[in-house]
Amino acid sequence: MKMRSMTPMRVAKTGYILMSLIFCVLGLLFILRPDQSLAVMGQVLGIAMIAFGAFKLVGYFSRDLYRLAFQYDLEFGILLIVLGVIALPRWSDVMSVLAAALGIAILADGLFKVRIAMDSRAFGIRDWWMILVLAVITCGAGGLLVLRPWQGARLLARLLGAALLCEGGLNLCVAVSTVKIIDHQRPDVIEAEYTEINEYQ
């Protein structure tokens, strides 16, 4: 029986971890250096969103063992790519709108990750509670980014940074805890050859 290639899954998991770390670094930069050139940071964030969206799509189609980490990534992958394309050329002009849109995406991702945490518990994954805690915190950060109870560009940058840091940490935890790569994994559909037997022969 032909075994399924693990390459797409490895690419997706590696990319997930790498982009999660980049999101964490960008989040810290937005928090610690809110006065730094937002145009440059916005362009870097735009590229990161496009790359993360691409890895999410690879993950969705890789069909990993548990089907947990990537199950909602078709829609989120496309959304991140679209937001990244919009952010690249004119982040400074539409920062407020894009930050709100990204906040909605982060809030929704946090909510779906709550579901993934519950599914992880059912699968017997020990770190399910960590996913749940990070998902709830991420929901809060995304909600604050959408509502923006405080005004000002610096505060918006710091809120964006906090949301990115939470999102990166959450996705890192999910990728490490739930994406299991098993060599020689068999395909889901077993291909077999059937021979018709004529009982009247």
Side-chain angles (χ1 to χ4, degrees):
M1 181 185 299
K2 185 178 179 180
M3 300 301 174
R4 180 189 303 165
S5 172
M6 296 293 102
T7 301
M9 206 178 303
R10 293 184 194 279
V11 169
K13 183 173 183 177
T14 302
Y16 234 75
I17 293 173
L18 176 63
M19 297 313 302
S20 296
L21 292 173
I22 290 175
F23 267 43
C24 289
V25 171
L26 282 172
L28 287 173
L29 286 175
F30 273 106
I31 293 171
L32 300 175
R33 297 181 176 271
D35 295 325
Q36 206 168 20
S37 176
L38 289 177
V40 175
M41 292 174 67
Q43 288 180 343
V44 174
L45 178 58
I47 294 172
M49 286 192 289
I50 293 172
F52 205 178
F55 282 121
K56 281 180 175 288
L57 292 180
V58 173
Y60 179 81
F61 290 107
S62 70
R63 306 180 73 183
D64 65 303
L65 182 63
Y66 289 154
R67 306 290 199 277
L68 291 175
F70 309 129
Q71 59 182 313
Y72 305 113
D73 277 357
L74 177 62
E75 297 82 1
F76 283 111
I78 294 171
L79 178 59
L80 279 179
I81 291 173
V82 170
L83 289 177
V85 169
I86 295 173
L88 271 176
R90 47 186 180 275
W91 172 261
S92 297
D93 299 331
V94 290
M95 175 184 172
S96 181
V97 176
L98 281 172
L102 189 57
I104 293 172
I106 290 173
L107 173 61
D109 193 35
L111 291 172
F112 281 116
K113 291 296 195 298
V114 170
R115 178 62 185 176
I116 288 175
M118 295 296 99
D119 291 341
S120 298
R121 183 184 182 186
F123 271 90
I125 295 174
R126 290 180 298 176
D127 295 332
W128 69 269
W129 61 270
M130 190 182 301
I131 298 173
L132 179 61
V133 170
L134 290 174
V136 172
I137 295 173
T138 300
C139 287
L144 283 176
L145 187 57
V146 174
L147 297 175
R148 273 172 288 171
W150 307 285
Q151 299 298 320
R154 294 183 66 187
L155 286 174
L156 177 58
R158 283 179 169 148
L159 275 176
L160 177 60
L164 289 173
L165 183 59
C166 292
E167 176 73 359
L170 173 61
N171 281 280
L172 181 63
C173 181
V174 169
V176 171
S177 301
T178 67
V179 181
K180 304 300 180 185
I181 299 175
I182 299 177
D183 292 329
H184 311 302
Q185 185 175 336
R186 289 182 171 85
D188 295 331
V189 179
I190 299 176
E191 297 179 357
E193 294 182 0
Y194 296 92
T195 303
E196 184 177 352
I197 300 176
N198 190 339
E199 62 182 18
Y200 297 105
Q201 286 183 347

